Amino acid sequence: MSNQTPDNSEPTLPLLRQERENVVDFGGLCPLYYAPMHYPTEVELYEPSFDPHSAALHENSRQPAATVKVQVPLPCGHFNIWRPLHDRRAPVAARLARFFVGSAALQPDGRVVAPNNSTWDSRISYSSADDEYYENGHVLPVINGWRHGTLAARSLFRKVEHDWMMTYLAPEQGNSHQQPLAVWRFNYAESRRAVERFHAVLGFSLFAESAAVEWCVRPLSSHRFRRIPIHVLTPEEARYFSEIGSGDSGESHADDSLEQRARIIEQYCGQILAYRASSNEYNDYVVHSVPALAADLTQYVEGEYGFELAVSFVPASEGPDGWQKAQVARQSLHHPISGRMREGEDAL
């Protein structure tokens, strides 16, 4: 995990190094299609309005008929190849207002009105605790099952540790034929606007020096993936990150700590920050990504209309449970459902 510059980073996995013949070539990946969840559907998320004055008798059956208007905003893009993505500020029905967090405001007449802005803001999160994907912080899940939310995946499974009350994605046990891999696609071409910023929480954990997790990104206009470097904080740097349990709790140094923290994040912009945790009786080597810290990866996709995000695993070479030493989206099963979709509390 050396501090490599993004410009000369190349994926280790041969499949991700494969150059695409064109922008629509999947480069050896086999895209998966899963039917959208019945609940909630795109229409059920919005309140239909009925106008009694529009009722009229049908010419043949003489039964009353009416026009029902349903307010469903057009998607700003697509997640993988089938799931519509929506602007998180889109107006929604009053009956669903309690499920929506963010900048939308509930009006006296019961409408939820989003700020008028020319830009869009879209967010997808995954909770390994309940194995579901969420859009824009809504309580209602949009995709059930980690695999159903990927563009392509192989040799991975969701491990649930009932004794430790933890869950995560890990390589399949005993599979040495294929290197584990998962890929997600975000396509915003439909919005006719370029990506202006991209922040991502890419949580991972390593429990052996020979184990590795590699994150890569590919703009849809590019034919190659690029590896996202990982920087392991030094003990001195880790002091300024209270979420990893090594921060300075003195109030007199709070302003200095925040300033130093901001400088460190800015210095390693475009990289994923991790830290070396204390060893325990089970593992001498423990590295975790900084919890819920969104890496600024704008430089990889700025000005693009979409991108693919990939993660590959290298199981540990030593020990009978080497497959378990490289983990992604590690999360406690005790995590309350009310907090799984909030900013800063998602696994991915």
Side-chain angles (χ1 to χ4, degrees), residues 2-7 9 196-200 202 217 226-233 237 241 260-274 293-302:
S2 59
N3 299 338
Q4 299 175 340
T5 59
D7 290 335
S9 295
E196 296 180 2
R197 62 182 178 87
F198 173 39
H199 293 126
L202 306 178
V217 63
R226 298 166 64 187
R227 181 151 50 99
I228 303 171
I230 297 174
H231 172 72
V232 179
L233 298 169
E237 292 171 333
F241 292 80
Q260 289 295 332
R261 173 192 173 98
R263 289 179 178 176
I264 293 172
I265 294 176
E266 182 179 5
Q267 179 182 357
Y268 299 109
C269 182
Q271 303 187 37
I272 304 169
L273 297 186
L293 180 64
D296 185 353
L297 306 178
T298 304
Q299 65 191 76
Y300 298 96
V301 299
E302 187 175 12

Side-chain angles (χ1 to χ4, degrees), residues 245-266:
S246 58
D248 187 355
S249 59
E251 295 183 2
S252 60
H253 303 290
D255 293 339
D256 292 338
S257 297
L258 289 175
E259 183 178 352
Q260 289 295 332
R261 173 192 173 98
R263 289 179 178 176
I264 293 172
I265 294 176
E266 182 179 5

